[in-house]
Amino acid sequence: MQKSILVTGGAGYIGSHAVLALKDSGWNPIVIDNLVTGFRGAVPADIPFVEGDIADHGLISATVEKYNIIAAMHFAGSVVVPESVSDPLKYYYNNTAKTRSLLESMIKNNVGHFIFSSTAATYGIPKTIPVHEDMPKNPINPYGTSKLMTEYMLSDVAAAHNFNYCALRYFNVAGADPKGRTGQSTSGATHLIKVAVEAALGKRDSISIFGTDYDTEDGTGVRDYIHVSDLAAAHVIALERLIESPKESYIFNCGYGHGFSVTQVLDAVDRVTNNKLTRNLEPRRAGDPDALISDNSKIKQQFGWTPQYDDLNKIVQHALAWEQRLIENPIT
Ligand code: UFG
């Protein structure tokens, strides 16, 4: 029977791109998603789709058996940083406790490879940049802590069982599938590029710049924006490597290793749209570091990961094209 890959949260933003990357590379993804924040329409019709919860042992066991699942990519979880501060138990439940249940299902069903969506939020406010994987992990919000706790679980599970994993610490994920098949569809998004393209298309009147007195070249916050399709490609490489080297596990940053300020991002949106966004200068947002940039040498050297879309204009163009498609043909 054909082998398959379980993709939890495959109807969400990053998960739906991973499903396409798997499919494009000849793998068989099987999506499980509870559709709380995901969209059924984000998953191609020919990909098996299971609506349900990652902590439902019976459902996971039946799915593993039905589709001959040999590995999992785990995207399902909650991702809103301020919400994690106001409702921490939701994050420790959805991200940490439910992942514990999923891992138990993996071990019981002999699924031996696991790729985990971790985050640069595990570092908190780094003392120096670029941020290397071995630098201290001091998350400053429950979101980051909930993901770091999962990294600890993975390390312990890999030591005890026939199981290996790759945790990818994402920096600022943006953009959309270059072929326009999926994108970031969540309404009420707070991420800079998503908000900026919404404003560019008239869904918002203006854009706020949170803080102009950071210790950066132009005073606005600097981030390492990575195209979601390059990130998805890293997951496929991780999968293949985990299968090839079943005794090895990996923790890697995922970013381009350089950053752009808020002003530079908004300038790019203005350039791409040939228009001018209305910018409001606002105070800093709580908990935002001045600059967050990855050291990506480990993933490049060890996985041979080579980004294809390290180009801010392209990231903006693809995000904009998806936003336009959402206006013309809303996703459900
Ligand atoms: N920003 C604005 N205006 C906006 C939105 C954002 O000026 O309307 C600024 C922020 O202050 C920050 C930068 O744009 O300087 C990027 O902000 P985002 O909200 O897009 O992203 P964050 O860097 O805050 O968050 C990202 C990930 C989180 C992760 C966090 C820390 O999206 O999942 O990095 O690693 F937790």
Side-chain angles (χ1 to χ4, degrees), residues 244-267:
E244 210 174 274
S245 312
K247 300 251 174 281
E248 296 292 325
S249 290
Y250 308 87
I251 299 180
F252 289 147
N253 288 335
C254 270
Y256 289 147
H258 58 82
F260 292 101
S261 70
V262 174
T263 304
Q264 286 172 321
V265 169
L266 300 184
D267 288 347

Side-chain angles (χ1 to χ4, degrees), residues 79-81 119-124 141 143-144 170-173 190-196 204 207-211 214 220-223 225 261-262 266 284-285 288-290 292:
V79 298
V80 183
V81 173
T119 169
T122 53
Y123 297 109
N141 47 60
Y143 169 69
Y170 308 163
F171 281 66
N172 287 63
V173 189
T190 58
H191 291 140
L192 180 64
I193 293 181
K194 171 81 177 170
V195 171
R204 298 172 187 252
I207 176 127
S208 302
I209 298 181
F210 297 130
Y214 283 108
T220 65
V222 168
R223 296 290 183 276
Y225 295 93
S261 70
V262 174
L266 300 184
R284 291 178 176 210
R285 217 169 49 173
D288 273 353
D290 301 65
L292 200 51

